[in-house]
Amino acid sequence: MTLAIETKQLTRYFDDVHAVKSVDLSVQRGSLYGFLGPNGAGKSTTIKMLTGILVPSSGEISLLGKNPWNRHDAIEIKQQTGVVPENLALFDNLTAREYLTFTGRMYSMDLSTIRERSEELLNLLSLEKVESKLTVEYSHGMKKKLALAAALLPNPDLLFLDEPFEGVDAVTSRVIRDLLAIYVRRGSTVFVTSHVLEIVERICTHVGIIANGQLVEQTSLEDLRRGSSLEERFLEKVGQTDDENINLAWLEDGPIRAGAPTITDVASEGPVS
Ligand SMILES: Nc1ncnc2c1ncn2[C@@H]1O[C@H](COP(=O)(O)OP(=O)(O)OP(=O)(O)O)[C@@H](O)[C@H]1O
């Protein structure tokens, strides 16, 4: 088994917050790995350490067999990876075309290949009509699509996507899903975080679940589900079950409590003098 991503005891503190706790990830090449967890579980912190944005407090990382924190390997790894980060990190004052050209040049691509692939990606992601607008004028979903186009442009071996489905419409979500399926079919690897369990269930081959900074599950989707839905298994693993009581009496009572005047009562009283 060859691994695209491997971490050993990966750990990150923010002062006294222990955000990621000794995480051992094993992501096989050619897999579509869904990295799941509740809000604040440590997903983005992990992805930032994997993609060179945050320095780990301790532990080891291997990407495509190399160490991204080794200066010698880092550039080679960056050439082979594409990233859609949490904050998208676009440049406000560039158009989509300019941004893709900038990205392509950063990957040392020639201009005619950049032009050809940009054309295809902008069309596929329905951005062709806004390609000459500045990205500052884009909606959140449009920015997300452009960030994905930029990540795919250099045709990398490994893709990191932090919440790619958040804020995109149903048509685009379908296009992204199909794109990722083609991408892994040819042997490349995707590491994706998402809160949309229905999509994860549909596209991922493997799943890792992080809760409170700890990796509580890592297996194939098939093994995890076994006769149950991903949502049920996820809730079990992160320690939340249906039994937890939601006790908000005022919400259950509705906006008008018994005995309180209704709008019709108030209207029949006539105008206030
Ligand atoms: N820059 C930072 N400074 C201090 N604490 C941070 C910082 N970034 C993250 N944290 C903390 O680390 C923990 C993990 O946060 P992280 O953003 O990795 O969670 P997440 O799983 O991506 O959450 P979400 O699903 O809400 O995006 C949280 O307790 C968060 O408050």
Side-chain angles (χ1 to χ4, degrees):
M1 179 181 70
T2 45
L3 294 177
I5 304 172
E6 188 176 21
T7 67
K8 290 197 178 129
Q9 304 286 294
L10 187 64
T11 297
R12 173 72 201 204
Y13 288 91
F14 295 104
D15 298 322
D16 56 349
V17 176
H18 199 172
V20 174
K21 302 171 183 166
S22 302
V23 163
D24 293 336
L25 290 171
S26 294
V27 180
Q28 290 172 38
R29 285 193 197 226
S31 63
L32 213 166
Y33 186 103
F35 193 47
L36 316 178
N39 291 131
K43 301 179 296 298
S44 293
T45 304
T46 303
I47 231 175
K48 282 177 188 161
M49 289 192 281
L50 295 175
T51 54
I53 295 168
L54 265 181
V55 186
S57 302
S58 59
E60 290 169 25
I61 300 175
S62 166
L63 299 184
L64 304 169
K66 299 191 182 70
N67 176 2
W69 289 99
N70 171 317
R71 218 194 289 173
H72 193 67
D73 291 346
I75 294 186
E76 204 178 324
I77 293 171
K78 286 213 184 326
Q79 293 281 349
Q80 293 173 279
T81 53
V83 183
V84 174
E86 188 184 30
N87 62 3
L88 303 178
L90 303 174
F91 292 113
D92 284 353
N93 292 321
L94 294 185
T95 65
R97 276 278 180 180
E98 288 167 346
Y99 181 66
L100 292 177
T101 305
F102 170 78
T103 306
R105 296 303 292 152
M106 293 295 284
Y107 281 84
S108 311
M109 293 169 63
D110 65 75
L111 280 171
S112 68
T113 311
I114 295 174
R115 210 171 299 125
E116 233 170 76
R117 290 191 192 166
S118 298
E119 189 91 28
E120 287 174 345
L121 286 164
L122 291 168
N123 282 327
L124 190 70
L125 293 164
S126 309
L127 287 174
E128 73 280 12
K129 290 203 184 91
V130 291
E131 67 172 69
S132 45
K133 271 190 173 184
L134 298 180
T135 64
V136 70
E137 299 170 67
Y138 278 22
S139 71
H140 181 68
M142 285 151 73
K143 286 183 182 171
K144 199 133 246 191
K145 292 197 272 185
L146 179 57
L148 180 67
L152 286 168
L153 185 78
N155 199 5
D157 289 329
L158 177 57
L159 256 187
F160 290 97
L161 309 175
D162 201 349
E163 288 288 344
F165 299 104
E166 181 243 333
V168 297
D169 62 49
V171 178
T172 309
S173 163
R174 177 72 177 268
V175 171
I176 297 175
R177 272 163 28 211
D178 292 348
L179 261 176
L180 297 184
I182 296 169
Y183 185 77
V184 292
R185 217 176 295 138
R186 66 168 204 189
S188 296
T189 313
V190 180
F191 185 87
V192 57
T193 72
S194 180
H195 290 295
V196 192
L197 298 184
E198 296 81 16
I199 295 183
V200 171
E201 194 158 26
R202 219 177 295 167
I203 64 170
C204 288
T205 55
H206 293 76
V207 169
I209 299 178
I210 188 168
N212 248 323
Q214 276 173 319
L215 193 67
V216 293
E217 183 59 279
Q218 177 169 238
T219 184
S220 71
L221 181 71
E222 209 181 321
D223 281 348
L224 180 66
R225 267 193 320 200
R226 290 230 179 268
S228 138
S229 72
L230 177 60
E231 185 185 31
E232 280 167 32
R233 305 292 286 153
F234 174 80
L235 292 175
E236 263 170 49
K237 294 284 172 191
V238 302
Q240 271 168 326
T241 63
D242 289 347
D243 305 337
E244 283 185 21
N245 286 329
I246 295 177
N247 193 5
L248 289 178
W250 56 270
L251 191 67
E252 285 173 34
D253 285 351
I256 298 168
R257 284 174 179 274
T262 64
I263 191 92
T264 333
D265 297 337
V266 174
S268 66
E269 282 168 15
V272 180
S273 52

